[in-house]
Amino acid sequence: MATVKSIEYAEASAEVRAVYDDIMATRKTDRVNNFWKALASHPPTLRRTWESIKQVMSAGSLDALTKELIYLAVSVTNQCSYCIASHTAAARKAGMTNAIFGELIAVVGMANETNSLASAYQVEIDERFRIQP
Amino acid sequence: MATVKSIEYAEASAEVRAVYDDIMATRKTDRVNNFWKALASHPPTLRRTWESIKQVMSAGSLDALTKELIYLAVSVTNQCSYCIASHTAAARKAGMTNAIFGELIAVVGMANETNSLASAYQVEIDERFRIQP
Amino acid sequence: MATVKSIEYAEASAEVRAVYDDIMATRKTDRVNNFWKALASHPPTLRRTWESIKQVMSAGSLDALTKELIYLAVSVTNQCSYCIASHTAAARKAGMTNAIFGELIAVVGMANETNSLASAYQVEIDERFRIQP
Amino acid sequence: MATVKSIEYAEASAEVRAVYDDIMATRKTDRVNNFWKALASHPPTLRRTWESIKQVMSAGSLDALTKELIYLAVSVTNQCSYCIASHTAAARKAGMTNAIFGELIAVVGMANETNSLASAYQVEIDERFRIQP
Amino acid sequence: MATVKSIEYAEASAEVRAVYDDIMATRKTDRVNNFWKALASHPPTLRRTWESIKQVMSAGSLDALTKELIYLAVSVTNQCSYCIASHTAAARKAGMTNAIFGELIAVVGMANETNSLASAYQVEIDERFRIQP
Amino acid sequence: MATVKSIEYAEASAEVRAVYDDIMATRKTDRVNNFWKALASHPPTLRRTWESIKQVMSAGSLDALTKELIYLAVSVTNQCSYCIASHTAAARKAGMTNAIFGELIAVVGMANETNSLASAYQVEIDERFRIQP
């Protein structure tokens, strides 16, 4: 159970409703996830987070699916259950197949292993990696 | 300075040289990164890690650039300096532009923020995220 | 379900009971949290941890509420469910309002985002931050 | 060395200069930290991050010093060197004494220890911690 | 609930069954853990991971129990619930007593505390620790 | 450079010297590591941490070498440079050979990979792992 009271649409302030409306319009859905209902307990955080997410996750040089895969890679590394569940769903909606999912997780797993190995041996950064673009 | 002695090609055993040769052939380069020279202090780990990386990072359902971006996302989340430096270089080699790098880091930063928010409020997983594919 | 048997007061050794009694007296309550009942499976860890917590969390240059907020910030960053739940309750008892909770989580979220950004770009430490007090 | 080119004021675009000017005016300083110069490599992230930080870190229900202490607690837990160095400096500027610093770090250390203990034993959340406010 | 469909033996492909058979033969059991059933959704990851685990976890210079304790120490530090539960069981099977478990967790807790302290103060590495073997 | 002033023996208070003396006597050395000199900036944390470390790291059901290996496994997982460097040295002093070091790091790397895999697929804990001893 969440540690804050979730704010349902019916009981939300006009400020919170405006964010909920924008979420549903942007995502073409008639539901608001539990994440946003929890954030609504602190409206400035709800609004700021939604505005940031909307800007950051929209397609740009990277397409929406790639962004969702990156998001999921971070969530798995942080072992955040809610984030893994919700962004696995979001990535599937954006086109992630089972084959892509399998390869994604293989990369994430290997990266976490090799990160440990590099740290364990305190490997020095190769000189040629230090050159700025 | 690394906590193990790096193994240079000239002093390497035949077993280690075989891995180094495969790394250079696969990556079309005449240099072996410090990471592999450190792993060579334990040859079974060198060989197993290289075989896994080679399999996991080659293009499949996901192209090589996307895999490098995912790898980098994990390394940033783990705050592993060596890994960030080496995979920023690898991703650039695979086609990462400055614009892509900027968007990648924006997604990684946002994911780390929202992971905290979801955990902080102990948000319950929405029922519809629980359905198996 | 815990991976060790919880030790209830009725079945506890004299050594464990002494710690339980001190916890209840210090915290002015007649209940002992599940955390301590699990730690009681290894009495030296129970006693040492309680003595440390008691010393570290009592008001000093920082008041008790500020200490609880710091504790909660760490627990959220580690994504430790038990710790978030128990220290959200402890912080409320120490005076945390909904407004304070909202601002706390906003700071923790931002810090986790900017930590990622600083690491991602491998930002060099500004010279003036290196000066010792 | 950073993995992106730092943008100095003299070479910055008007968009980046506007953010730099606001940072210096808000913080009453004539210098911009390396962190912002690195973020300037992706102007939308620079602007969005600065706007968020400015909103989140200004005094509200929590004073500026408490917010800096929380920020530092997160940075220590993430083991982010740049963040620890810069926010130790920021916290001192906001009034952190050596005594406060000592107590802060003691709490952060204990929280990281007890987070491990709670996870290790997979302690179940006490029923009374689940009640929403 | 898992985010992928678990593959039971009866419905598994010949490739997956071969791995399951090897797991059961190696571990002298007639059951396959949920972990492997989830990995079976991506057969290359299932096979590669099992081959690696089998090689890495078998007794060598370190006995099987010590390896399980190290595995558990990592899982606790990552706060991975599944991993803690499954490797607590595996460690007990390999000979971990309650007394050993208690001491293990005490070391893990202390290491997480002192890691925070060392990072918090940005302690410089002593010159003599830098000498390679 | 550390963010606090290191306290050398010559300038230390009687309280701090008493801890330094005990560290040198217990460890049979005439040097005090930078870690302790940094902690000495907050004497209660110095004393409490040393007392805890001394108790936790002494041989019990687990020998001193195994405890150092566990400590190192945690430090690698946290990617704490100082801790990795100092505890690699401590483990070598306690008997860690190159072969043991290689196997240790292999286990730590694998554990970090499989932790990611278990989290990625949100694997449900097998019923038989839930049974208390």
Side-chain angles (χ1 to χ4, degrees):
Chain A
M1 189 175 288
T3 58
V4 285
K5 192 179 174 314
S6 289
I7 308 296
E8 297 297 332
Y9 194 92
E11 60 185 325
S13 66
E15 179 186 13
V16 167
R17 280 189 186 186
V19 177
Y20 284 5
D21 287 339
D22 193 34
I23 290 171
M24 292 187 286
T26 303
R27 300 205 161 160
K28 300 183 199 341
T29 173
D30 58 354
R31 290 179 299 194
V32 171
N33 291 347
N34 287 346
F35 177 67
W36 303 112
K37 291 180 189 167
L39 258 58
S41 64
H42 193 242
T45 297
L46 171 69
R47 195 178 48 241
R48 186 177 54 77
T49 305
W50 167 245
E51 292 297 339
S52 286
I53 281 278
K54 192 167 61 165
Q55 177 189 314
V56 168
M57 296 304 284
S58 64
S61 298
L62 291 172
D63 57 87
L65 172 58
T66 304
K67 288 189 171 182
E68 284 295 343
L69 298 179
I70 292 164
Y71 210 106
L72 192 46
V74 171
S75 301
V76 168
T77 303
N78 280 333
Q79 318 226 25
C80 173
S81 298
Y82 183 85
C83 315
I84 292 170
S86 60
H87 284 276
T88 297
R92 286 192 189 280
K93 201 170 160 186
M96 181 177 75
T97 60
N98 284 340
I100 289 176
F101 191 34
E103 291 187 19
L104 166 71
I105 300 312
V107 174
V108 171
M110 275 307 298
N112 276 294
E113 177 174 9
T114 53
N115 277 209
S116 295
L117 298 175
S119 293
Y121 291 131
Q122 295 279 289
V123 182
E124 281 185 282
I125 298 178
D126 303 68
E127 203 49 50
R128 70 182 179 287
F129 295 155
R130 292 184 177 278
I131 297 160
Q132 291 186 331
Chain B
M1 190 176 288
T3 58
V4 287
K5 191 179 174 314
S6 288
I7 308 296
E8 297 297 333
Y9 193 93
E11 60 185 325
S13 66
E15 180 186 12
V16 166
R17 280 189 187 186
V19 177
Y20 285 4
D21 287 339
D22 194 34
I23 290 171
M24 291 186 287
T26 303
R27 299 206 161 159
K28 301 183 198 343
T29 174
D30 60 353
R31 290 179 299 194
V32 171
N33 291 348
N34 287 347
F35 177 67
W36 304 111
K37 291 181 188 165
L39 257 57
S41 64
H42 192 242
T45 297
L46 171 69
R47 196 179 46 243
R48 186 177 54 78
T49 305
W50 167 245
E51 293 297 339
S52 286
I53 281 277
K54 192 168 61 166
Q55 178 190 314
V56 168
M57 296 305 284
S58 64
S61 298
L62 291 172
D63 57 87
L65 173 57
T66 303
K67 288 189 171 182
E68 283 295 343
L69 297 179
I70 292 164
Y71 210 107
L72 192 46
V74 171
S75 301
V76 168
T77 303
N78 280 334
Q79 318 227 22
C80 172
S81 297
Y82 182 85
C83 316
I84 292 169
S86 60
H87 285 276
T88 296
R92 287 192 188 280
K93 202 170 159 186
M96 181 176 75
T97 60
N98 284 341
I100 289 177
F101 190 33
E103 291 187 19
L104 166 72
I105 300 313
V107 174
V108 171
M110 274 310 296
N112 276 294
E113 177 173 9
T114 53
N115 277 208
S116 294
L117 298 175
S119 293
Y121 291 131
Q122 297 278 287
V123 183
E124 281 184 281
I125 299 178
D126 303 67
E127 203 49 51
R128 70 183 180 284
F129 294 155
R130 292 182 177 279
I131 297 160
Q132 290 185 335
Chain C
M1 191 176 286
T3 58
V4 286
K5 191 177 175 314
S6 288
I7 308 296
E8 298 296 333
Y9 193 93
E11 60 186 325
S13 67
E15 180 186 12
V16 167
R17 280 189 186 186
V19 177
Y20 284 4
D21 287 340
D22 193 33
I23 290 171
M24 292 187 287
T26 304
R27 299 201 162 164
K28 299 184 199 346
T29 173
D30 58 355
R31 290 179 298 194
V32 171
N33 291 348
N34 287 347
F35 178 68
W36 303 111
K37 291 180 189 167
L39 257 57
S41 64
H42 193 244
T45 297
L46 171 69
R47 196 177 48 241
R48 187 176 54 76
T49 305
W50 167 245
E51 292 297 340
S52 286
I53 281 277
K54 192 167 63 166
Q55 178 189 316
V56 168
M57 296 304 285
S58 63
S61 297
L62 291 172
D63 57 87
L65 172 58
T66 303
K67 288 189 171 184
E68 284 295 342
L69 297 179
I70 292 164
Y71 210 106
L72 191 46
V74 171
S75 301
V76 168
T77 303
N78 280 333
Q79 317 227 22
C80 172
S81 297
Y82 183 85
C83 316
I84 292 169
S86 60
H87 284 276
T88 297
R92 286 192 189 280
K93 201 169 158 185
M96 182 176 75
T97 60
N98 284 341
I100 289 177
F101 190 33
E103 291 188 21
L104 166 72
I105 299 313
V107 174
V108 171
M110 274 310 296
N112 275 293
E113 177 174 10
T114 53
N115 277 210
S116 294
L117 298 175
S119 293
Y121 291 132
Q122 297 277 287
V123 183
E124 283 185 280
I125 298 178
D126 303 68
E127 203 49 50
R128 69 182 180 285
F129 295 154
R130 293 183 177 279
I131 297 161
Q132 291 186 331
Chain D
M1 189 176 288
T3 59
V4 287
K5 191 178 175 315
S6 288
I7 309 296
E8 297 297 332
Y9 193 93
E11 59 184 326
S13 66
E15 180 186 12
V16 166
R17 280 191 187 184
V19 177
Y20 284 4
D21 287 339
D22 193 34
I23 290 172
M24 291 187 286
T26 304
R27 299 204 162 162
K28 300 184 198 342
T29 173
D30 59 355
R31 290 179 299 194
V32 171
N33 290 349
N34 287 347
F35 177 67
W36 304 111
K37 292 180 188 167
L39 258 58
S41 64
H42 192 243
T45 297
L46 171 69
R47 195 177 48 242
R48 186 176 54 76
T49 306
W50 167 245
E51 293 297 339
S52 286
I53 281 278
K54 193 167 61 165
Q55 177 190 316
V56 168
M57 296 304 284
S58 63
S61 297
L62 291 173
D63 57 87
L65 173 56
T66 302
K67 288 188 170 182
E68 284 295 344
L69 297 179
I70 292 164
Y71 210 107
L72 192 45
V74 171
S75 301
V76 167
T77 303
N78 280 333
Q79 318 227 23
C80 173
S81 297
Y82 183 84
C83 316
I84 292 169
S86 61
H87 284 277
T88 296
R92 286 192 189 281
K93 202 169 158 186
M96 181 176 76
T97 61
N98 283 341
I100 289 176
F101 191 33
E103 291 188 19
L104 166 72
I105 300 313
V107 174
V108 171
M110 275 307 298
N112 275 294
E113 177 173 10
T114 52
N115 277 208
S116 295
L117 298 175
S119 293
Y121 291 131
Q122 296 279 288
V123 182
E124 283 185 280
I125 298 178
D126 303 68
E127 204 48 51
R128 70 181 179 285
F129 295 156
R130 292 183 178 280
I131 297 161
Q132 291 186 331
Chain E
M1 190 176 288
T3 57
V4 286
K5 190 178 174 314
S6 288
I7 309 296
E8 297 296 331
Y9 193 92
E11 60 185 325
S13 67
E15 179 186 12
V16 166
R17 280 190 187 185
V19 177
Y20 284 5
D21 287 340
D22 194 33
I23 290 171
M24 291 186 288
T26 304
R27 298 205 162 160
K28 300 184 199 340
T29 173
D30 59 354
R31 288 179 300 193
V32 171
N33 291 347
N34 287 347
F35 177 67
W36 303 111
K37 291 181 189 166
L39 257 58
S41 64
H42 193 242
T45 297
L46 171 68
R47 197 178 47 242
R48 185 177 56 76
T49 305
W50 167 245
E51 292 298 338
S52 287
I53 280 276
K54 192 167 63 166
Q55 178 189 314
V56 168
M57 296 304 285
S58 64
S61 297
L62 291 172
D63 56 87
L65 173 57
T66 303
K67 289 189 170 183
E68 284 295 343
L69 298 179
I70 292 164
Y71 210 107
L72 191 46
V74 171
S75 300
V76 167
T77 303
N78 280 333
Q79 317 227 26
C80 173
S81 296
Y82 183 84
C83 316
I84 292 169
S86 60
H87 284 276
T88 297
R92 287 192 188 280
K93 202 170 158 186
M96 181 176 75
T97 60
N98 284 341
I100 289 176
F101 190 34
E103 290 188 19
L104 166 71
I105 300 313
V107 174
V108 171
M110 275 308 297
N112 276 294
E113 177 173 10
T114 53
N115 277 208
S116 295
L117 298 176
S119 293
Y121 292 132
Q122 297 277 286
V123 183
E124 283 185 280
I125 298 179
D126 303 67
E127 203 49 52
R128 70 182 179 286
F129 294 154
R130 293 184 177 279
I131 296 160
Q132 291 186 331
Chain F
M1 189 176 287
T3 57
V4 286
K5 191 178 175 314
S6 288
I7 308 296
E8 298 296 332
Y9 193 93
E11 60 185 326
S13 66
E15 179 185 13
V16 167
R17 280 190 187 186
V19 177
Y20 284 4
D21 287 340
D22 193 33
I23 290 171
M24 292 186 287
T26 303
R27 298 203 161 162
K28 300 184 198 343
T29 174
D30 59 354
R31 289 180 300 195
V32 171
N33 290 348
N34 287 347
F35 177 67
W36 303 111
K37 291 180 189 167
L39 258 57
S41 64
H42 192 242
T45 297
L46 172 69
R47 195 178 48 240
R48 186 177 54 78
T49 305
W50 167 245
E51 292 298 339
S52 286
I53 281 277
K54 193 167 62 165
Q55 177 189 317
V56 168
M57 296 303 286
S58 63
S61 297
L62 291 172
D63 57 87
L65 173 57
T66 303
K67 288 189 170 183
E68 284 294 344
L69 297 179
I70 292 164
Y71 209 107
L72 192 46
V74 171
S75 301
V76 167
T77 303
N78 280 334
Q79 317 227 25
C80 173
S81 296
Y82 183 84
C83 315
I84 292 170
S86 60
H87 284 276
T88 296
R92 286 192 188 281
K93 202 169 159 186
M96 181 176 75
T97 61
N98 284 341
I100 288 176
F101 190 35
E103 291 188 19
L104 166 71
I105 300 312
V107 174
V108 171
M110 276 307 298
N112 276 293
E113 177 173 10
T114 53
N115 277 209
S116 294
L117 299 175
S119 294
Y121 291 131
Q122 296 278 287
V123 184
E124 282 184 281
I125 299 179
D126 304 68
E127 203 49 50
R128 69 182 180 285
F129 295 155
R130 292 184 177 278
I131 298 161
Q132 291 185 333

